[in-house]
Amino acid sequence: MPNPRPLQMRELRLISIYSNWELGMTPQEFYFKWAVSYEQIALICSRSDSTVRGWFRNGRNRRYPTHNDLRHLALMNFLLEHFEEIPEHLVQHLCLNNSDEYTI
């Protein structure tokens, strides 16, 4: 197994920034901004369809998204808004499979 890269001040600062990042978007905000279905939101957040439907309910059966769910939606919002601005070599790092499925 190769030796892991040591963390320098730059990397430690980036970890600190990321861990304190308050990036988030509610399912309701995402749903009203983009023409998506509950099923697509479930895919983005790696949740079941029923969990996502619970986020949109009122009353006793309502469920609440986690901080990670809010971050997934905010990151997807960022990608939808800025995907064309991301250099191709970085897109290739994001898309682990080089199949045509990921060609935009």
Side-chain angles (χ1 to χ4, degrees):
M1 176 176 256
N3 291 332
R5 291 173 33 184
L7 296 177
Q8 303 298 323
M9 186 58 75
R10 176 181 158 270
E11 290 83 9
L12 293 171
R13 178 152 167 66
L14 184 58
I15 289 170
S16 177
I17 290 168
Y18 181 80
S19 63
N20 292 300
W21 201 8
E22 294 191 23
L23 180 69
M25 185 174 212
T26 68
Q28 291 78 6
E29 291 170 326
F30 192 84
Y31 182 80
F32 289 116
K33 183 171 183 177
W34 300 101
V36 294
S37 65
Y38 290 177
E39 291 79 12
Q40 289 166 320
I41 291 175
L43 285 172
I44 293 165
C45 296
S46 298
R47 298 292 182 183
S48 68
D49 295 349
S50 64
T51 294
V52 172
R53 283 191 301 275
W55 295 343
F56 289 87
R57 283 191 200 112
N58 292 315
R60 195 182 67 188
N61 293 325
R62 181 173 181 162
R63 293 184 181 172
Y64 295 91
T66 67
H67 179 73
N68 284 338
D69 297 320
L70 303 180
R71 187 173 282 185
H72 279 297
L73 292 172
L75 287 171
M76 189 71 241
N77 178 65
F78 179 85
L79 288 172
L80 289 169
E81 287 184 343
H82 300 286
F83 193 79
E84 290 79 18
E85 300 166 39
I86 301 172
E88 181 63 30
H89 71 279
L90 293 179
V91 170
Q92 293 306 315
H93 284 292
L94 291 172
C95 302
L96 300 177
N97 183 347
N98 289 329
S99 72
D100 291 336
E101 178 181 345
Y102 297 105
T103 303
I104 305 294

PDB file of all heavy atoms in Angstrom, residues 47-71:
ATOM      1  N   ARG A  47     -31.600   8.654  -1.173  1.00  0.00           N
ATOM      2  CA  ARG A  47     -32.692   8.378  -0.239  1.00  0.00           C
ATOM      3  C   ARG A  47     -33.791   7.637  -0.977  1.00  0.00           C
ATOM      4  O   ARG A  47     -33.857   7.636  -2.197  1.00  0.00           O
ATOM      5  CB  ARG A  47     -33.265   9.671   0.341  1.00  0.00           C
ATOM      6  CG  ARG A  47     -32.291  10.488   1.135  1.00  0.00           C
ATOM      7  CD  ARG A  47     -31.931   9.779   2.388  1.00  0.00           C
ATOM      8  NE  ARG A  47     -31.014  10.582   3.187  1.00  0.00           N
ATOM      9  CZ  ARG A  47     -30.507  10.170   4.309  1.00  0.00           C
ATOM     10  NH1 ARG A  47     -30.822   8.988   4.781  1.00  0.00           N
ATOM     11  NH2 ARG A  47     -29.673  10.931   4.987  1.00  0.00           N
ATOM     12  N   SER A  48     -34.691   7.058  -0.222  1.00  0.00           N
ATOM     13  CA  SER A  48     -35.837   6.387  -0.839  1.00  0.00           C
ATOM     14  C   SER A  48     -36.857   7.439  -1.273  1.00  0.00           C
ATOM     15  O   SER A  48     -36.881   8.559  -0.756  1.00  0.00           O
ATOM     16  CB  SER A  48     -36.485   5.420   0.153  1.00  0.00           C
ATOM     17  OG  SER A  48     -37.104   6.154   1.207  1.00  0.00           O
ATOM     18  N   ASP A  49     -37.702   7.036  -2.217  1.00  0.00           N
ATOM     19  CA  ASP A  49     -38.776   7.929  -2.662  1.00  0.00           C
ATOM     20  C   ASP A  49     -39.687   8.304  -1.505  1.00  0.00           C
ATOM     21  O   ASP A  49     -40.116   9.453  -1.384  1.00  0.00           O
ATOM     22  CB  ASP A  49     -39.603   7.262  -3.772  1.00  0.00           C
ATOM     23  CG  ASP A  49     -38.793   7.015  -5.045  1.00  0.00           C
ATOM     24  OD1 ASP A  49     -37.670   7.541  -5.161  1.00  0.00           O
ATOM     25  OD2 ASP A  49     -39.312   6.303  -5.922  1.00  0.00           O
ATOM     26  N   SER A  50     -39.976   7.349  -0.625  1.00  0.00           N
ATOM     27  CA  SER A  50     -40.886   7.632   0.492  1.00  0.00           C
ATOM     28  C   SER A  50     -40.275   8.627   1.477  1.00  0.00           C
ATOM     29  O   SER A  50     -40.991   9.455   2.042  1.00  0.00           O
ATOM     30  CB  SER A  50     -41.310   6.349   1.202  1.00  0.00           C
ATOM     31  OG  SER A  50     -40.195   5.730   1.801  1.00  0.00           O
ATOM     32  N   THR A  51     -38.963   8.555   1.673  1.00  0.00           N
ATOM     33  CA  THR A  51     -38.306   9.532   2.550  1.00  0.00           C
ATOM     34  C   THR A  51     -38.447  10.931   1.980  1.00  0.00           C
ATOM     35  O   THR A  51     -38.799  11.878   2.690  1.00  0.00           O
ATOM     36  CB  THR A  51     -36.818   9.179   2.747  1.00  0.00           C
ATOM     37  OG1 THR A  51     -36.733   7.951   3.460  1.00  0.00           O
ATOM     38  CG2 THR A  51     -36.076  10.265   3.502  1.00  0.00           C
ATOM     39  N   VAL A  52     -38.199  11.068   0.687  1.00  0.00           N
ATOM     40  CA  VAL A  52     -38.309  12.386   0.053  1.00  0.00           C
ATOM     41  C   VAL A  52     -39.750  12.881   0.100  1.00  0.00           C
ATOM     42  O   VAL A  52     -40.003  14.049   0.414  1.00  0.00           O
ATOM     43  CB  VAL A  52     -37.761  12.358  -1.394  1.00  0.00           C
ATOM     44  CG1 VAL A  52     -38.056  13.661  -2.117  1.00  0.00           C
ATOM     45  CG2 VAL A  52     -36.260  12.078  -1.375  1.00  0.00           C
ATOM     46  N   ARG A  53     -40.705  12.014  -0.149  1.00  0.00           N
ATOM     47  CA  ARG A  53     -42.111  12.441  -0.041  1.00  0.00           C
ATOM     48  C   ARG A  53     -42.412  12.941   1.368  1.00  0.00           C
ATOM     49  O   ARG A  53     -43.155  13.911   1.552  1.00  0.00           O
ATOM     50  CB  ARG A  53     -43.059  11.300  -0.424  1.00  0.00           C
ATOM     51  CG  ARG A  53     -43.159  11.088  -1.930  1.00  0.00           C
ATOM     52  CD  ARG A  53     -44.303  10.147  -2.298  1.00  0.00           C
ATOM     53  NE  ARG A  53     -44.197   8.832  -1.688  1.00  0.00           N
ATOM     54  CZ  ARG A  53     -43.504   7.813  -2.177  1.00  0.00           C
ATOM     55  NH1 ARG A  53     -42.842   7.945  -3.319  1.00  0.00           N
ATOM     56  NH2 ARG A  53     -43.475   6.646  -1.560  1.00  0.00           N
ATOM     57  N   GLY A  54     -41.796  12.322   2.371  1.00  0.00           N
ATOM     58  CA  GLY A  54     -41.973  12.757   3.749  1.00  0.00           C
ATOM     59  C   GLY A  54     -41.450  14.160   4.009  1.00  0.00           C
ATOM     60  O   GLY A  54     -41.954  14.866   4.886  1.00  0.00           O
ATOM     61  N   TRP A  55     -40.433  14.576   3.247  1.00  0.00           N
ATOM     62  CA  TRP A  55     -39.902  15.927   3.405  1.00  0.00           C
ATOM     63  C   TRP A  55     -40.909  16.989   2.969  1.00  0.00           C
ATOM     64  O   TRP A  55     -40.814  18.138   3.391  1.00  0.00           O
ATOM     65  CB  TRP A  55     -38.619  16.105   2.594  1.00  0.00           C
ATOM     66  CG  TRP A  55     -37.471  15.264   3.035  1.00  0.00           C
ATOM     67  CD1 TRP A  55     -37.318  14.615   4.228  1.00  0.00           C
ATOM     68  CD2 TRP A  55     -36.301  14.965   2.280  1.00  0.00           C
ATOM     69  NE1 TRP A  55     -36.122  13.944   4.258  1.00  0.00           N
ATOM     70  CE2 TRP A  55     -35.471  14.143   3.072  1.00  0.00           C
ATOM     71  CE3 TRP A  55     -35.862  15.308   1.008  1.00  0.00           C
ATOM     72  CZ2 TRP A  55     -34.232  13.676   2.640  1.00  0.00           C
ATOM     73  CZ3 TRP A  55     -34.643  14.840   0.569  1.00  0.00           C
ATOM     74  CH2 TRP A  55     -33.828  14.030   1.377  1.00  0.00           C
ATOM     75  N   PHE A  56     -41.830  16.604   2.118  1.00  0.00           N
ATOM     76  CA  PHE A  56     -42.804  17.554   1.575  1.00  0.00           C
ATOM     77  C   PHE A  56     -44.159  17.473   2.294  1.00  0.00           C
ATOM     78  O   PHE A  56     -45.069  18.209   1.958  1.00  0.00           O
ATOM     79  CB  PHE A  56     -42.975  17.323   0.068  1.00  0.00           C
ATOM     80  CG  PHE A  56     -41.764  17.757  -0.720  1.00  0.00           C
ATOM     81  CD1 PHE A  56     -40.702  16.881  -0.930  1.00  0.00           C
ATOM     82  CD2 PHE A  56     -41.678  19.040  -1.233  1.00  0.00           C
ATOM     83  CE1 PHE A  56     -39.578  17.279  -1.645  1.00  0.00           C
ATOM     84  CE2 PHE A  56     -40.559  19.444  -1.948  1.00  0.00           C
ATOM     85  CZ  PHE A  56     -39.501  18.566  -2.156  1.00  0.00           C
ATOM     86  N   ARG A  57     -44.273  16.562   3.247  1.00  0.00           N
ATOM     87  CA  ARG A  57     -45.517  16.431   4.009  1.00  0.00           C
ATOM     88  C   ARG A  57     -45.586  17.484   5.106  1.00  0.00           C
ATOM     89  O   ARG A  57     -44.565  18.014   5.549  1.00  0.00           O
ATOM     90  CB  ARG A  57     -45.596  15.065   4.676  1.00  0.00           C
ATOM     91  CG  ARG A  57     -45.955  13.953   3.765  1.00  0.00           C
ATOM     92  CD  ARG A  57     -46.274  12.689   4.572  1.00  0.00           C
ATOM     93  NE  ARG A  57     -46.150  11.539   3.703  1.00  0.00           N
ATOM     94  CZ  ARG A  57     -45.219  10.608   3.810  1.00  0.00           C
ATOM     95  NH1 ARG A  57     -44.339  10.647   4.791  1.00  0.00           N
ATOM     96  NH2 ARG A  57     -45.172   9.613   2.964  1.00  0.00           N
ATOM     97  N   ASN A  58     -46.800  17.716   5.581  1.00  0.00           N
ATOM     98  CA  ASN A  58     -47.016  18.524   6.774  1.00  0.00           C
ATOM     99  C   ASN A  58     -47.622  17.620   7.833  1.00  0.00           C
ATOM    100  O   ASN A  58     -48.201  16.599   7.535  1.00  0.00           O
ATOM    101  CB  ASN A  58     -47.969  19.691   6.471  1.00  0.00           C
ATOM    102  CG  ASN A  58     -47.334  20.710   5.547  1.00  0.00           C
ATOM    103  OD1 ASN A  58     -46.186  21.085   5.730  1.00  0.00           O
ATOM    104  ND2 ASN A  58     -48.071  21.151   4.539  1.00  0.00           N
ATOM    105  N   GLY A  59     -47.462  18.010   9.068  1.00  0.00           N
ATOM    106  CA  GLY A  59     -48.108  17.252  10.133  1.00  0.00           C
ATOM    107  C   GLY A  59     -47.231  16.205  10.762  1.00  0.00           C
ATOM    108  O   GLY A  59     -46.003  16.227  10.664  1.00  0.00           O
ATOM    109  N   ARG A  60     -47.894  15.248  11.378  1.00  0.00           N
ATOM    110  CA  ARG A  60     -47.238  14.240  12.197  1.00  0.00           C
ATOM    111  C   ARG A  60     -46.283  13.338  11.418  1.00  0.00           C
ATOM    112  O   ARG A  60     -45.276  12.879  11.951  1.00  0.00           O
ATOM    113  CB  ARG A  60     -48.319  13.401  12.872  1.00  0.00           C
ATOM    114  CG  ARG A  60     -47.819  12.565  14.003  1.00  0.00           C
ATOM    115  CD  ARG A  60     -48.921  11.747  14.574  1.00  0.00           C
ATOM    116  NE  ARG A  60     -49.298  10.765  13.546  1.00  0.00           N
ATOM    117  CZ  ARG A  60     -50.325   9.962  13.614  1.00  0.00           C
ATOM    118  NH1 ARG A  60     -51.119  10.017  14.640  1.00  0.00           N
ATOM    119  NH2 ARG A  60     -50.581   9.095  12.657  1.00  0.00           N
ATOM    120  N   ASN A  61     -46.577  13.059  10.172  1.00  0.00           N
ATOM    121  CA  ASN A  61     -45.759  12.133   9.379  1.00  0.00           C
ATOM    122  C   ASN A  61     -44.632  12.815   8.605  1.00  0.00           C
ATOM    123  O   ASN A  61     -43.990  12.183   7.785  1.00  0.00           O
ATOM    124  CB  ASN A  61     -46.642  11.351   8.420  1.00  0.00           C
ATOM    125  CG  ASN A  61     -47.574  10.414   9.155  1.00  0.00           C
ATOM    126  OD1 ASN A  61     -47.212   9.864  10.190  1.00  0.00           O
ATOM    127  ND2 ASN A  61     -48.780  10.250   8.644  1.00  0.00           N
ATOM    128  N   ARG A  62     -44.442  14.081   8.870  1.00  0.00           N
ATOM    129  CA  ARG A  62     -43.394  14.803   8.162  1.00  0.00           C
ATOM    130  C   ARG A  62     -42.018  14.303   8.587  1.00  0.00           C
ATOM    131  O   ARG A  62     -41.785  13.972   9.750  1.00  0.00           O
ATOM    132  CB  ARG A  62     -43.500  16.294   8.448  1.00  0.00           C
ATOM    133  CG  ARG A  62     -42.434  17.054   7.696  1.00  0.00           C
ATOM    134  CD  ARG A  62     -42.587  18.512   7.790  1.00  0.00           C
ATOM    135  NE  ARG A  62     -41.505  19.080   7.012  1.00  0.00           N
ATOM    136  CZ  ARG A  62     -41.475  20.287   6.578  1.00  0.00           C
ATOM    137  NH1 ARG A  62     -42.478  21.091   6.838  1.00  0.00           N
ATOM    138  NH2 ARG A  62     -40.469  20.729   5.881  1.00  0.00           N
ATOM    139  N   ARG A  63     -41.122  14.235   7.611  1.00  0.00           N
ATOM    140  CA  ARG A  63     -39.728  13.894   7.871  1.00  0.00           C
ATOM    141  C   ARG A  63     -38.879  15.106   7.540  1.00  0.00           C
ATOM    142  O   ARG A  63     -39.293  15.971   6.778  1.00  0.00           O
ATOM    143  CB  ARG A  63     -39.292  12.708   7.013  1.00  0.00           C
ATOM    144  CG  ARG A  63     -39.983  11.427   7.374  1.00  0.00           C
ATOM    145  CD  ARG A  63     -39.432  10.302   6.551  1.00  0.00           C
ATOM    146  NE  ARG A  63     -40.103   9.053   6.880  1.00  0.00           N
ATOM    147  CZ  ARG A  63     -39.923   7.943   6.213  1.00  0.00           C
ATOM    148  NH1 ARG A  63     -39.109   7.910   5.184  1.00  0.00           N
ATOM    149  NH2 ARG A  63     -40.561   6.850   6.570  1.00  0.00           N
ATOM    150  N   TYR A  64     -37.672  15.123   8.072  1.00  0.00           N
ATOM    151  CA  TYR A  64     -36.779  16.255   7.846  1.00  0.00           C
ATOM    152  C   TYR A  64     -35.467  15.781   7.242  1.00  0.00           C
ATOM    153  O   TYR A  64     -34.903  14.774   7.691  1.00  0.00           O
ATOM    154  CB  TYR A  64     -36.516  16.992   9.165  1.00  0.00           C
ATOM    155  CG  TYR A  64     -37.776  17.624   9.700  1.00  0.00           C
ATOM    156  CD1 TYR A  64     -38.600  16.923  10.585  1.00  0.00           C
ATOM    157  CD2 TYR A  64     -38.167  18.880   9.283  1.00  0.00           C
ATOM    158  CE1 TYR A  64     -39.770  17.494  11.057  1.00  0.00           C
ATOM    159  CE2 TYR A  64     -39.344  19.459   9.749  1.00  0.00           C
ATOM    160  CZ  TYR A  64     -40.133  18.753  10.636  1.00  0.00           C
ATOM    161  OH  TYR A  64     -41.303  19.313  11.085  1.00  0.00           O
ATOM    162  N   PRO A  65     -34.974  16.490   6.237  1.00  0.00           N
ATOM    163  CA  PRO A  65     -33.698  16.101   5.623  1.00  0.00           C
ATOM    164  C   PRO A  65     -32.540  16.360   6.584  1.00  0.00           C
ATOM    165  O   PRO A  65     -32.614  17.236   7.446  1.00  0.00           O
ATOM    166  CB  PRO A  65     -33.612  17.004   4.395  1.00  0.00           C
ATOM    167  CG  PRO A  65     -34.475  18.181   4.706  1.00  0.00           C
ATOM    168  CD  PRO A  65     -35.560  17.676   5.612  1.00  0.00           C
ATOM    169  N   THR A  66     -31.481  15.593   6.404  1.00  0.00           N
ATOM    170  CA  THR A  66     -30.276  15.788   7.208  1.00  0.00           C
ATOM    171  C   THR A  66     -29.433  16.905   6.602  1.00  0.00           C
ATOM    172  O   THR A  66     -29.663  17.345   5.461  1.00  0.00           O
ATOM    173  CB  THR A  66     -29.425  14.510   7.255  1.00  0.00           C
ATOM    174  OG1 THR A  66     -28.906  14.260   5.931  1.00  0.00           O
ATOM    175  CG2 THR A  66     -30.221  13.315   7.744  1.00  0.00           C
ATOM    176  N   HIS A  67     -28.419  17.314   7.340  1.00  0.00           N
ATOM    177  CA  HIS A  67     -27.474  18.310   6.825  1.00  0.00           C
ATOM    178  C   HIS A  67     -26.833  17.801   5.528  1.00  0.00           C
ATOM    179  O   HIS A  67     -26.632  18.563   4.583  1.00  0.00           O
ATOM    180  CB  HIS A  67     -26.408  18.611   7.880  1.00  0.00           C
ATOM    181  CG  HIS A  67     -25.385  19.595   7.433  1.00  0.00           C
ATOM    182  ND1 HIS A  67     -25.654  20.937   7.305  1.00  0.00           N
ATOM    183  CD2 HIS A  67     -24.098  19.419   7.057  1.00  0.00           C
ATOM    184  CE1 HIS A  67     -24.564  21.557   6.872  1.00  0.00           C
ATOM    185  NE2 HIS A  67     -23.609  20.657   6.722  1.00  0.00           N
ATOM    186  N   ASN A  68     -26.531  16.503   5.481  1.00  0.00           N
ATOM    187  CA  ASN A  68     -25.931  15.933   4.260  1.00  0.00           C
ATOM    188  C   ASN A  68     -26.887  16.000   3.077  1.00  0.00           C
ATOM    189  O   ASN A  68     -26.461  16.234   1.945  1.00  0.00           O
ATOM    190  CB  ASN A  68     -25.487  14.493   4.499  1.00  0.00           C
ATOM    191  CG  ASN A  68     -24.220  14.421   5.303  1.00  0.00           C
ATOM    192  OD1 ASN A  68     -23.438  15.362   5.358  1.00  0.00           O
ATOM    193  ND2 ASN A  68     -24.009  13.296   5.957  1.00  0.00           N
ATOM    194  N   ASP A  69     -28.180  15.804   3.315  1.00  0.00           N
ATOM    195  CA  ASP A  69     -29.160  15.924   2.233  1.00  0.00           C
ATOM    196  C   ASP A  69     -29.166  17.350   1.683  1.00  0.00           C
ATOM    197  O   ASP A  69     -29.193  17.560   0.463  1.00  0.00           O
ATOM    198  CB  ASP A  69     -30.563  15.565   2.725  1.00  0.00           C
ATOM    199  CG  ASP A  69     -30.666  14.116   3.190  1.00  0.00           C
ATOM    200  OD1 ASP A  69     -30.075  13.236   2.530  1.00  0.00           O
ATOM    201  OD2 ASP A  69     -31.335  13.880   4.211  1.00  0.00           O
ATOM    202  N   LEU A  70     -29.148  18.335   2.588  1.00  0.00           N
ATOM    203  CA  LEU A  70     -29.138  19.741   2.167  1.00  0.00           C
ATOM    204  C   LEU A  70     -27.876  20.067   1.379  1.00  0.00           C
ATOM    205  O   LEU A  70     -27.919  20.819   0.399  1.00  0.00           O
ATOM    206  CB  LEU A  70     -29.248  20.657   3.389  1.00  0.00           C
ATOM    207  CG  LEU A  70     -30.457  20.455   4.295  1.00  0.00           C
ATOM    208  CD1 LEU A  70     -30.415  21.432   5.465  1.00  0.00           C
ATOM    209  CD2 LEU A  70     -31.761  20.575   3.529  1.00  0.00           C
ATOM    210  N   ARG A  71     -26.770  19.476   1.795  1.00  0.00           N
ATOM    211  CA  ARG A  71     -25.502  19.710   1.081  1.00  0.00           C
ATOM    212  C   ARG A  71     -25.534  19.066  -0.299  1.00  0.00           C
ATOM    213  O   ARG A  71     -25.080  19.664  -1.281  1.00  0.00           O
ATOM    214  CB  ARG A  71     -24.340  19.159   1.898  1.00  0.00           C
ATOM    215  CG  ARG A  71     -22.996  19.516   1.303  1.00  0.00           C
ATOM    216  CD  ARG A  71     -21.862  19.116   2.184  1.00  0.00           C
ATOM    217  NE  ARG A  71     -21.736  20.095   3.262  1.00  0.00           N
ATOM    218  CZ  ARG A  71     -20.755  20.077   4.157  1.00  0.00           C
ATOM    219  NH1 ARG A  71     -19.839  19.138   4.129  1.00  0.00           N
ATOM    220  NH2 ARG A  71     -20.690  20.990   5.103  1.00  0.00           N
TER     221      ARG A  71
END
